[in-house]
Amino acid sequence: MNFKLILNIAIHLLRARLKQSIVAAVGVTFGIAMFIALVSFMNGLNDLLDGLMLNRTPHVRLYNEIKPSENQPISLSEKYKNDIHFISSVKPKDRGKAIYNSKAIVHFLKQDQRIIDVASKITTPVFFNSGTIEISGVISGIDVTAEEKLFKISDYVIEGNVIDLEQNNSIIIGKGLADKMLLVKGDIIKITTAKGNLASLKIVGISQIGISEIDDTSSYTSLETAQKLLGEATNYITDIQIKLFDISTSPSVAKEFQEKFDLDAIDYQTANSQFETGSSVRSIISYAVGIVLLIVAGFGIYNILNMMIFEKMDSIAILKATGFSGSDVKWIFISLSMIIGLTGGVFGLLFGFAFTVIIDNIPFNTASLPTISTYPINYDPLFYIIGISFAIITTGIAGFFPAMKASKIDPVEIIRGK
Amino acid sequence: MSNIVLETKKLTKYFYDPIQFQVLKAIDMSINHGEFVSIVGKSGCGKSTLLYLLSTMDTDYEGQLYIHDELITGKPDKELAQIRNEKIGFVFQFHYLLAEYSVLKNVMLPGMKLGKLSEKEIEHNAMEHLRTLDMEDQALKMPNQLSGGQKQRVAIARALINNPLIIMGDEPTGNLDKKNSDLVFDIFNKLTEENKQTLLIVTHDTDFAQRTQRTITMEDGKII
Ligand SMILES: Nc1ncnc2c1ncn2[C@@H]1O[C@H](COP(=O)(O)OP(=O)(O)OP(=O)(O)O)[C@@H](O)[C@H]1O
Ligand SMILES: [Mg+2]
């Protein structure tokens, strides 16, 4: 088949109907541009929200949950092994929240090839005292360097410096807390622990994560300060936070460590299942809208091709009479449709890119997202590949049916009809 | 190779719509190389129908059709298109030219489809044909800028571009005045005499038919 000639004929036919062809191509352009803009924006938003959680949540967290012993004394008894046990008024056993043998566990985990790094942490409820009122909150005692490496907390420290936490008796408090208690950097805050210990800590920074429940209650200090505050030894920690190279393995890794160390373990997916749902819903919406727009554009192409074939019956009859086969005619109209689709599609990609750049530069300042100053955009080239493939597939299908019709036109009928 | 360019055996065709009706009744005919043959007959006797069968465009018939002793009946669409392109030149009563292309490109198109020569050579041949038809200075015009007679000459040039075995015409002069149809006849005559071009022309013009070498007369779907 002489493809150059077929393309040449297609282009000539297209030129004869330039206006409609352009309108059809603009339909594709619009569909693709919208698709690109929407998908890039939605995915940017997903990344932002994922990042918001992902960056701050360990992939696996090991801790001790307060709960009743799974094995009550009676279940250990041989005698009543086959009986059903009814035990009432079971109370949780106070094993304490401390992780036993934490140093050895952390050391062991750091050797694991799957793990990026491990950060130890102490979380403990406290009261912040301000005059006569007490505000309940939480202190996180963190390993500053590890925490910074894994969770980049400095992103959320809007005043002061995280490194200053390494000074003795220093604290970084949430913005909500600071506002409520009228405290600023440099002030001293009084703290009462659950066990009644009293301490004064110096505020070296203010943090803002963007979730008011957290900003209203949370504060950070160093592991050592937290241990001192609680009157515990230097091996006292309550949480081991783990980041993995492959986040998708976190459920299985969590399960493995849970059994190995006899600790409670929660993985990222379980802890954030509601965010995953939100992300996939946003993706589905953007793809659905893009596909719908392209289907509309496809109908536009279908229409113009049908019209063109109707008008060009004579030309088709001549082509057939002078030696073009049905399949040649079919390819003429398919290439016609592809030319419209590809041109429209490429312009769609360009416009889509332009739109995303514009969105990317629209200021988006919100108190809850301190690290963001413009709307988020994901520039994944995959979206462009998907976009142009969509354009080719829809225009291919839209062109195929009219092309089949054209290939079946009987020249005798047309010539006789004159 | 035998001298017969075109041969039919018991060519029969029916139309079924609105009622069954036999248009062609077991037509046997043959055309020799270099012959200038005309087909005449009353309106509605089946001349055009016969010509469409012979041109391979209509495949819905009984009997056999041979071109150069090769059985054409039953060949697939692609091969038939190839045969039309290479071996048959067709001139219609209404000059069917592609409105999107210039005169020259219209003439060149079947040559480009055949693809045996380079574009330059095809263009050269097309200009030669246009020159013999006295149309050389119209080569770059669009078809809608030509008169009826001129369009018919372009159609003849297009039919000639691949040096076909046979040129078929369905009332090619039916739309032209006396002067122009004489001109077309002269062109055809010159083609047979100088190039031994085989021609099969359906016509109503008795004057035209009498001047051809052989006249086939049809009546009621039969040759008499
Ligand atoms: N598509 C069709 N369906 C049914 N009958 C048809 C069809 N085409 C032609 N006919 C009939 O077939 C017969 C032959 O038609 P054809 O066109 O071959 O005649 P013709 O000899 O070329 O006439 P003319 O000299 O007027 O062009 C006519 O009676 C016509 O009515
Ligand atoms: Mg007729």
Side-chain angles (χ1 to χ4, degrees):
Chain A
M1 196 160 40
N2 186 344
F3 221 87
K4 211 177 124 211
L5 180 60
I6 282 178
L7 217 58
N8 184 296
I9 295 172
I11 290 170
H12 271 86
L13 287 176
L14 203 133
R15 269 207 222 131
R17 272 257 160 241
L18 197 59
K19 252 191 211 149
Q20 278 93 331
S21 307
I22 289 175
V23 169
V26 166
V28 179
T29 302
F30 186 72
I32 298 285
M34 274 325 204
F35 170 76
I36 294 287
L38 212 62
V39 174
S40 303
F41 183 44
M42 286 295 184
N43 274 281
L45 219 52
N46 278 352
D47 295 346
L48 175 78
L49 295 173
D50 284 353
L52 217 56
M53 290 319 291
L54 198 64
N55 291 345
R56 239 171 309 119
T57 324
H59 297 169
V60 177
R61 184 166 74 95
L62 301 176
Y63 62 105
N64 257 330
E65 191 151 41
I66 296 197
K67 61 180 177 190
S69 297
E70 274 163 32
N71 292 317
Q72 294 292 331
I74 192 157
S75 60
L76 299 174
S77 156
E78 278 296 318
K79 198 172 164 192
Y80 301 109
K81 204 177 156 201
N82 295 321
D83 297 328
I84 295 172
H85 311 138
F86 294 94
I87 313 169
S88 49
S89 282
V90 177
K91 294 284 180 294
K93 182 185 164 201
D94 184 16
R95 295 189 290 167
K97 287 175 76 187
I99 294 175
Y100 296 112
N101 206 9
S102 60
K103 285 220 158 110
I105 293 176
V106 169
H107 183 74
F108 177 83
L109 290 175
K110 283 197 186 227
Q111 313 293 321
D112 197 311
Q113 292 294 315
R114 295 167 296 179
I115 291 173
I116 299 175
D117 208 352
V118 182
S120 309
K121 189 174 169 185
I122 298 169
T123 37
T124 181
V126 291
F127 288 109
F128 299 104
N129 304 337
S130 171
T132 54
I133 55 159
E134 291 184 324
I135 295 175
S136 65
V138 179
I139 281 193
S140 305
I142 55 174
D143 175 346
V144 178
T145 40
E147 196 82 5
E148 174 64 16
K149 180 182 171 196
L150 292 189
F151 306 114
K152 200 108 185 61
I153 51 167
S154 60
D155 272 358
Y156 307 102
V157 174
I158 55 173
E159 259 181 75
N161 209 326
V162 211
I163 303 300
D164 294 341
L165 278 186
E166 286 180 345
Q167 302 162 11
N168 259 342
N169 295 337
S170 57
I171 187 169
I172 291 177
I173 62 170
K175 175 111 172 42
L177 207 53
D179 289 349
K180 252 190 263 181
M181 296 169 59
L182 302 172
L183 291 169
V184 293
K185 188 183 154 203
D187 289 349
I188 302 289
I189 186 169
K190 288 205 169 66
I191 285 167
T192 318
T193 66
K195 287 186 179 156
N197 299 348
L198 243 151
S200 298
L201 302 178
K202 185 176 180 210
I203 298 171
V204 295
I206 307 284
S207 71
Q208 186 179 41
I209 267 166
I211 301 170
S212 65
E213 278 156 53
I214 296 178
D215 291 334
D216 281 356
T217 56
S218 71
S219 63
Y220 298 97
T221 186
S222 64
L223 271 180
E224 293 75 26
T225 309
Q227 284 157 354
K228 240 186 286 169
L229 211 60
L230 295 172
E232 297 281 358
T234 56
N235 62 355
Y236 176 87
I237 56 171
T238 60
D239 292 87
I240 296 174
Q241 308 173 95
I242 300 169
K243 270 213 168 178
L244 300 169
F245 285 104
D246 181 3
I247 187 176
S248 62
T249 59
S250 52
S252 60
V253 173
K255 203 146 179 279
E256 179 190 327
F257 290 158
Q258 178 166 20
E259 281 159 19
K260 188 177 256 162
F261 302 124
D262 191 24
L263 287 168
D264 291 297
I266 188 160
D267 58 86
Y268 171 79
Q269 275 86 337
T270 314
N272 294 295
S273 48
Q274 75 277 28
F275 279 91
E276 294 278 303
T277 323
S279 299
S280 56
V281 166
R282 272 188 294 277
S283 291
I284 289 170
I285 290 174
S286 42
Y287 278 89
V289 171
I291 289 172
V292 166
L293 289 174
L294 279 175
I295 289 174
V296 173
F299 274 109
I301 293 181
Y302 177 83
N303 269 338
I304 179 166
L305 246 63
N306 263 335
M307 205 162 71
M308 226 182 242
I309 287 165
F310 189 74
E311 282 177 356
K312 297 294 168 195
M313 290 279 197
D314 288 0
S315 301
I316 295 168
I318 302 188
L319 287 173
K320 287 194 157 180
T322 56
F324 287 82
S325 64
S327 109
D328 291 334
V329 171
K330 182 180 75 194
W331 278 108
I332 288 172
F333 283 92
I334 288 182
S335 7
L336 221 158
S337 156
M338 294 308 246
I339 292 170
I340 295 176
L342 269 177
T343 325
V346 168
F347 276 100
L349 295 187
L350 293 178
F351 277 109
F353 180 72
F355 285 157
T356 53
V357 170
I358 291 170
I359 294 173
D360 202 1
N361 282 299
I362 296 176
F364 176 57
N365 289 312
T366 159
S368 58
L369 298 167
T371 52
I372 303 296
S373 60
T374 58
Y375 280 102
I377 290 289
N378 182 333
Y379 289 101
D380 194 340
L382 181 67
F383 303 146
Y384 293 78
I385 294 169
I386 292 175
I388 199 77
S389 314
F390 270 179
I392 291 170
I393 292 169
T394 36
T395 52
I397 294 172
F400 179 76
F401 295 101
M404 283 308 282
K405 200 168 102 186
S407 80
K408 294 210 180 84
I409 283 174
D410 181 2
V412 173
E413 226 167 275
I414 312 280
I415 292 165
R416 205 191 270 286
K418 271 256 171 161
Chain B
M1 197 174 267
S2 89
N3 205 26
I4 297 172
V5 171
L6 191 80
E7 191 176 14
T8 67
K9 288 191 179 145
K10 304 254 168 302
L11 219 51
T12 303
K13 180 169 175 79
Y14 293 90
F15 281 121
Y16 299 97
D17 191 33
I19 44 155
Q20 185 173 350
F21 161 61
Q22 189 173 12
V23 209
L24 299 178
K25 297 166 184 164
I27 291 192
D28 287 309
M29 63 179 269
S30 71
I31 313 263
N32 291 325
H33 180 70
E35 258 189 315
F36 185 2
V37 182
S38 58
I39 302 179
V40 295
K42 280 212 205 80
S43 179
C45 69
K47 304 181 297 291
S48 296
T49 309
L50 176 63
L51 211 58
Y52 297 140
L53 294 190
L54 299 181
S55 72
T56 78
M57 282 192 281
D58 188 351
T59 51
D60 181 20
Y61 59 87
E62 290 159 26
Q64 286 93 42
L65 169 66
Y66 295 84
I67 292 179
H68 245 163
D69 292 335
E70 185 190 352
L71 179 65
I72 301 303
T73 309
K75 282 194 186 285
D77 173 69
K78 253 203 151 74
E79 280 180 51
L80 293 179
Q82 177 76 24
I83 289 167
R84 280 200 293 281
N85 185 232
E86 198 173 355
K87 301 189 171 164
I88 302 171
F90 213 100
V91 184
F92 310 97
Q93 175 175 8
F94 295 89
H95 26 69
Y96 274 95
L97 299 177
L98 293 174
E100 296 82 13
Y101 284 96
S102 70
V103 164
L104 180 62
K105 289 272 177 193
N106 260 288
V107 176
M108 288 169 66
L109 214 55
M112 312 254 280
K113 167 63 191 160
L114 186 62
K116 286 209 171 138
L117 298 175
S118 74
E119 198 173 329
K120 272 233 132 50
E121 291 168 303
I122 296 170
E123 189 176 327
H124 177 258
N125 290 348
M127 280 311 279
E128 280 300 307
H129 288 304
L130 286 173
R131 199 190 322 277
T132 50
L133 297 173
D134 211 11
M135 285 289 293
E136 152 188 40
D137 46 343
Q138 315 284 333
L140 297 179
K141 279 192 177 174
M142 296 309 276
N144 59 5
Q145 298 170 315
L146 297 181
S147 77
Q150 287 173 323
K151 284 182 198 169
Q152 206 56 294
R153 278 183 271 166
V154 176
I156 294 169
R158 181 179 63 194
L160 287 168
I161 191 74
N162 286 338
N163 293 320
L165 274 179
I166 181 164
I167 291 180
M168 299 181 189
D170 190 1
E171 302 182 35
T173 60
N175 234 14
L176 304 178
D177 63 11
K178 178 78 183 139
K179 188 171 150 264
N180 270 306
S181 47
D182 280 348
L183 190 76
V184 169
F185 179 86
D186 289 341
I187 292 164
F188 285 154
N189 211 24
K190 210 167 119 193
L191 286 171
T192 26
E193 280 174 2
E194 288 178 10
N195 308 348
K196 285 199 98 16
Q197 176 69 56
T198 316
L199 289 158
L200 178 62
I201 308 292
V202 168
T203 182
H204 272 146
D205 185 342
T206 43
D207 194 33
F208 185 107
Q210 271 165 11
R211 290 156 68 191
T212 61
Q213 294 170 10
R214 174 154 70 104
T215 301
I216 296 174
T217 310
M218 280 182 71
E219 202 178 290
D220 238 356
K222 277 183 286 214
I223 291 176
I224 51 171

